[in-house]
Amino acid sequence: MENGAGAGDDEYTRDGSVDLRGNPVLRSKRGGWKACSFIVVYELFERMAYYGIASNLVIYLTEKLHQGTVEAANNVTNWSGTVFITPLIGAVVADAWLGRYWTFVAGSAVYLMGMLLLTLAVSVPALKPPPCDGGGGGAACPRASALQLGVYFGGLYTIALGHGGTKPNISTIGADQFDDFHPPEKLHKLSFFNWWMFTIFLGILFSTTVLVYLQDNVSWTVGYGIPTLGLMVSVAVFLAGTPLYRHKVPQGSPLATMGRVVAAAVWKWRVPLPADSKELHELELEHYTSRRGFRMDATVSMAFLNKAAVKPAARLPGWTLCTVTQVEETKQIVKLVPLLATMVVPCTLVAQAGTLFVKQGVTLDRRIGKFHVPPASLGAFVTATMLVCIVLYDRFLVPAVRRRTKNPRGITLLQRISLGMLLQIVTMVVTSVVESRRLGYARRHGLVAAGGQLPVTIFILLPQFVLLGVADAFLVVGQIEFFYDQAPESMKSLGTAMSLTAYGAGNLLSSAILAAVERVTGGGKGRTPWVTNNLNASRLDYYYAFLATLAAANLLAFVVLSCKYSYRVESTETIDVDVAMDDVQGGGVARVKSEAAPMA
């Protein structure tokens, strides 16, 4: 049609999409934004459910389960770390066996069970410890029993397990509704990730305002019950859209493929590489076109792995002979690993917003007239700032920069991520300065030993939340998009899971750093750790300055790796073709709003 294809060629999708029975699908009947609307509704309510728990979790652990600040913060980040690591399991299951749809359905059922268990844990009196005598204070607060902790944390980690099945697949299912082989749909897909993230942030915004307020001022039962009910409805909505979805057939375990390539290369380490790469083993082009896949040419990078595709003179086990495409797909994932490692520290900084930032808010005056601002509600400013920045980035920055760089995405994904990292450093410096002034006020007015609230407005924390939102608009969207797009076509779920794994590792690193800082800084007699239950006696300003220094060193490593990274060739070629074709058709380059395809 628009690309010059005949009506018959355009009737069916050309990317290998099928229905649940494995039959080819009509473009006009399935997929596109109509199918995505059902998927987006699910994600909206799922994010509302997740952040309805995560945003205020540190408050529940300290005020209701009576845990200390460091213990509660580490429990939050340990759980968050698990939440973002389990998607690796879900990605492998989806790509190798069940497919994205059925893995998602199973994961959402487990997720819902976890939400129901958590709602039960905060609702039944026997599953909660009694309140502190006299309103608080160490020994006056009875510890939660093993049963109470077991039920609550059982619900949390059931959610983490369900999240492993849903998170790496839901965004990929959404992206699968657009055909990469059809230029008009490819252009729609370019906007998918920005607007996908926009929807997510709407859910987060509701959680950090309405749900957090209900939890702090009405009841935890209502605050947990609403997102549980919302998640139940959203699963039903997702299932109702099943007749409209396009699906991709599982291509086999990507980890098994990569393991086979590495093992074959090691097995044949003495076998010389041919002078001509065309002598390496590869299947005919028809094999890939019939499966709507990509065939990749051999490259000289990581040449040792090319040995896996060498046709040996002597007879060797069949598994030792891999195709060039399998080798290049393995290389593409391996190339992402060093960059993935540099994403861990930025994700550690993100984790502070849901733990120590919130505990800072507890020490400040939260009154606006008769209204009391829940400390976790300041997280709404992170989300709101991200929403505004994404729109500004998409509508104004990209078109303006595109005219100068001639790059359809304005700046590259790695440049976008590096800007986010730089803004994070600025955020932590500002946070350290603000905290230093808060502690100075406590010392000047003799409020260090007493602890508790200072007569200082909670809104002195606003700059750090706003700056973190600006940073996340560059970092978070760019990171998810980068790992999805740079992963080989047969490993998209794995690519999405890799980006989520960085958050998991970042949260676990946050726990490790906080525990180490508490141990090292509080090692001597009379020495107060940088982070204690009494934040007025702590030195959080030193802790934030340490994180800023760590982030600066990490940014330097990221820039060095980014300069050496080369993007996937077929992605840069297809986006160039699509943008040029759209311009010829009169749609205008301005339609390229998002940055779903990589450009060097």
Side-chain angles (χ1 to χ4, degrees):
M1 301 255 229
E2 293 95 336
N3 62 342
D9 294 331
D10 197 55
E11 186 177 2
Y12 289 92
T13 58
R14 290 175 282 166
D15 62 350
S17 298
V18 296
D19 61 19
L20 281 177
R21 296 181 179 179
N23 301 314
V25 297
L26 292 169
R27 188 183 311 282
S28 60
K29 300 295 184 182
R30 290 175 179 261
W33 286 112
K34 185 176 181 180
C36 278
S37 63
F38 291 87
I39 299 168
V40 165
V41 166
Y42 170 84
E43 187 68 3
L44 174 68
F45 282 94
E46 187 277 328
R47 291 292 85 185
M48 183 182 78
Y50 173 76
Y51 281 96
I53 304 301
S55 298
N56 225 13
L57 182 55
V58 71
I59 298 297
Y60 189 85
L61 295 181
T62 53
E63 296 187 359
K64 300 301 179 181
L65 295 185
H66 309 147
Q67 296 184 345
T69 298
V70 173
E71 180 186 10
N74 284 347
N75 276 329
V76 171
T77 50
N78 287 338
W79 172 67
S80 298
T82 305
V83 163
F84 287 110
I85 286 177
T86 53
L88 272 178
I89 301 173
V92 171
V93 171
D95 286 341
W97 297 294
L98 293 183
R100 293 161 190 161
Y101 177 86
W102 290 116
T103 303
F104 170 83
V105 170
S108 61
V110 175
Y111 199 139
L112 189 55
M113 289 172 56
M115 289 295 297
L116 291 169
L117 190 58
L118 273 187
T119 304
L120 186 68
V122 302
S123 303
V124 178
L127 297 179
K128 299 179 290 183
C132 300
D133 295 332
C141 296
R143 299 285 291 180
S145 67
L147 173 63
Q148 292 163 346
L149 291 174
V151 173
Y152 190 83
F153 281 94
L156 284 179
Y157 282 90
T158 300
I159 288 175
L161 181 61
H163 192 268
T166 61
K167 196 57 181 175
N169 293 302
I170 185 64
S171 60
T172 314
I173 291 173
D176 287 345
Q177 305 311 307
F178 302 98
D179 185 354
D180 280 336
F181 291 84
H182 189 259
E185 288 196 14
K186 175 74 173 182
L187 286 167
H188 287 303
K189 188 175 181 177
L190 292 178
S191 289
F192 174 73
F193 281 104
N194 266 359
W195 296 109
W196 174 259
M197 293 302 296
F198 185 90
T199 303
I200 287 175
F201 298 148
L202 285 179
I204 298 174
L205 188 62
F206 181 85
S207 298
T208 51
T209 52
V210 177
L211 291 182
V212 164
Y213 178 81
L214 291 175
Q215 291 165 2
D216 283 7
N217 296 280
V218 179
S219 76
W220 289 89
T221 300
V222 174
Y224 278 26
I226 290 176
T228 300
L229 181 61
L231 183 65
M232 193 179 302
V233 171
S234 69
V235 171
V237 169
F238 175 85
L239 294 175
T242 298
L244 297 176
Y245 301 148
R246 301 173 186 175
H247 306 276
K248 296 292 181 66
V249 178
Q251 300 293 313
S253 171
L255 297 182
T257 299
M258 291 187 292
R260 179 186 170 191
V261 168
V262 173
V266 172
W267 188 280
K268 298 188 291 187
W269 68 279
R270 291 185 177 179
V271 176
L273 287 170
D276 187 354
S277 62
K278 293 182 179 179
E279 295 180 21
L280 296 173
H281 175 62
E282 183 55 282
L283 301 175
E284 295 296 329
L285 183 60
E286 288 74 16
H287 172 83
Y288 295 97
T289 55
S290 64
R291 290 165 172 77
R292 305 305 189 209
F294 290 95
R295 189 176 76 172
M296 303 175 71
D297 295 329
T299 61
V300 296
S301 65
M302 291 180 272
F304 175 76
L305 292 178
N306 288 349
K307 291 179 180 288
V310 173
K311 302 173 184 176
R315 184 174 181 83
L316 292 176
W319 63 266
T320 62
L321 185 60
C322 304
T323 65
V324 169
T325 296
Q326 290 174 326
V327 171
E328 292 303 319
E329 287 177 339
T330 300
K331 289 180 182 180
Q332 195 62 43
I333 293 295
V334 172
K335 284 169 55 181
L336 294 175
V337 173
L339 288 167
L340 178 65
T342 61
M343 300 294 165
V344 175
V345 170
C347 293
T348 297
L349 270 57
V350 171
Q352 307 312 307
T355 53
L356 294 180
F357 282 18
V358 176
K359 290 300 292 181
Q360 280 179 280
V362 175
T363 69
L364 297 168
D365 184 2
R366 293 174 273 157
R367 292 174 298 175
I368 302 179
K370 295 183 178 180
F371 179 77
H372 285 70
V373 178
S377 286
L378 288 188
F381 288 97
V382 176
T383 306
T385 304
M386 291 177 75
L387 288 171
V388 173
C389 288
I390 285 176
V391 174
L392 293 177
Y393 181 89
D394 193 69
R395 293 293 189 180
F396 299 103
L397 181 61
V398 171
V401 176
R402 184 191 297 127
R403 286 192 291 268
R404 179 180 295 271
T405 64
K406 308 304 180 183
N407 187 325
R409 59 174 65 258
I411 59 176
T412 70
L413 286 174
L414 291 178
Q415 288 171 340
R416 181 175 185 173
I417 293 170
S418 64
L419 278 174
M421 289 182 176
L422 180 62
L423 288 168
Q424 274 194 333
I425 296 171
V426 174
T427 301
M428 298 314 295
V429 170
V430 170
T431 302
S432 179
V433 171
V434 170
E435 177 62 9
S436 179
R437 292 183 177 179
R438 189 190 71 82
L439 292 174
Y441 183 93
R443 287 192 295 269
R444 288 193 303 273
H445 292 82
L447 299 173
V448 173
Q453 285 190 358
L454 305 178
V456 178
T457 177
I458 193 174
F459 291 106
I460 66 167
L461 303 180
L462 198 56
Q464 65 201 57
F465 282 92
V466 171
L467 283 171
L468 190 61
V470 177
D472 285 356
F474 288 88
L475 176 67
V476 174
V477 180
Q479 179 179 324
I480 293 176
E481 203 171 342
F482 174 77
F483 283 98
Y484 170 84
D485 204 80
Q486 290 298 288
E489 293 299 321
S490 62
M491 302 180 183
K492 290 300 187 186
S493 293
L494 179 61
T496 303
M498 288 178 70
S499 68
L500 298 175
T501 300
Y503 287 97
N507 277 275
L508 296 178
L509 179 62
S510 178
S511 296
I513 291 175
L514 188 56
V517 165
E518 182 192 32
R519 184 171 59 254
V520 171
T521 59
K525 290 184 179 180
R527 290 173 57 186
T528 301
W530 285 359
V531 186
T532 67
N533 291 341
N534 179 3
L535 290 190
N536 293 340
S538 300
R539 291 312 306 249
L540 271 182
D541 52 339
Y542 292 171
Y543 182 69
Y544 290 139
F546 169 73
L547 291 180
T549 304
L550 185 64
N554 183 79
L555 175 59
L556 179 61
F558 177 80
V559 170
V560 171
L561 291 172
S562 297
C563 291
K564 298 179 179 180
Y565 184 81
S566 58
Y567 292 90
R568 289 200 314 146
V569 175
E570 69 268 19
S571 293
T572 60
E573 290 177 346
T574 56
I575 184 61
D576 282 338
V577 170
D578 290 342
V579 172
M581 189 171 296
D582 185 58
D583 197 26
V584 169
Q585 292 160 5
V589 178
R591 286 179 57 195
V592 186
K593 298 193 287 282
S594 179
E595 299 80 48
M599 287 295 297

